Amino acid sequence: MIIESGLFLKTGLSQISTVNLLLESLKPSMDYLTYNIKRYKVPVTLILFYTEEDVSSLIHECMRLTDALDLIKIGESYFNFIYLPFTDEIDGYSFIKHVEHNKLQDIKNYYHFEKLEDAIYNHYNFINSYLFEIDEKSKELV
């Protein structure tokens, strides 16, 4: 994906640099969870909420004790990665709609979610797929 201005999602960085910064923070969590998925057969859904303001405290209000949140701020962009253990994709989607309806109704946000597999062979491509979906959604609504 080539961005004309060279900047990606208001981060002030290129897409490659953005993915590299996200990977630096997310890789340990993703490796830990994929290990648990493989060993214990526990479903985990990963959700990304992309916003231009900090909504992590609002998201925390909707989370269970077993859920985890990685907030990463790059430039003007906030990337909220939420890990929902013991949750399949249908319940992950319900979580998204609950957060949007009850906490983020006045905040512009974009999301993407997937059930984590028991192994991620290319972390860069995995994170890039999330960002690509967010970028496409943000362009559709403009």
Side-chain angles (χ1 to χ4, degrees):
M1 170 184 307
I2 298 174
I3 310 296
E4 294 88 28
S5 66
L7 305 179
F8 183 71
L9 291 175
K10 296 190 176 187
T11 59
L13 301 171
S14 67
Q15 183 175 0
I16 295 169
S17 299
T18 301
V19 174
N20 287 334
L21 282 173
L22 292 172
L23 270 178
E24 187 177 305
S25 297
L26 298 173
K27 191 172 182 320
S29 299
M30 289 190 322
D31 287 344
Y32 175 75
L33 286 169
T34 54
Y35 169 78
N36 283 317
I37 293 168
K38 184 182 287 184
R39 180 161 184 184
Y40 302 112
K41 308 291 188 241
V42 174
V44 177
T45 298
L46 175 59
I47 301 170
L48 166 59
F49 276 107
Y50 168 79
T51 61
E52 294 176 8
E53 57 186 274
D54 187 4
V55 295
S56 59
S57 61
L58 298 173
I59 293 171
H60 266 291
E61 293 173 9
C62 297
M63 291 172 49
R64 303 169 298 190
L65 291 175
T66 57
D67 301 340
L69 171 73
D70 279 337
L71 169 66
I72 303 161
K73 181 182 187 300
I74 303 173
E76 298 176 25
S77 299
Y78 290 86
F79 299 92
N80 296 278
F81 285 89
I82 303 133
Y83 305 96
L84 303 175
F86 312 105
T87 307
D88 59 14
E89 289 174 306
I90 294 169
D91 292 332
Y93 185 74
S94 296
F95 175 84
I96 291 168
K97 290 304 168 186
H98 175 75
V99 170
E100 280 191 323
H101 180 71
N102 294 316
K103 300 297 180 183
L104 305 179
Q105 63 264 22
D106 297 329
I107 300 170
K108 184 188 240 183
N109 70 85
Y110 305 99
Y111 66 86
H112 181 68
F113 69 102
E114 287 182 27
K115 182 178 171 187
L116 284 178
E117 298 298 324
D118 62 1
I120 298 174
Y121 298 104
N122 189 329
H123 288 79
Y124 184 86
N125 286 345
F126 182 77
I127 295 299
N128 208 29
S129 69
Y130 273 71
L131 297 181
F132 179 72
E133 291 296 324
I134 296 294
D135 189 47
E136 289 296 313
K137 288 177 183 177
S138 68
K139 288 178 181 175
E140 288 174 7
L141 298 176
V142 174

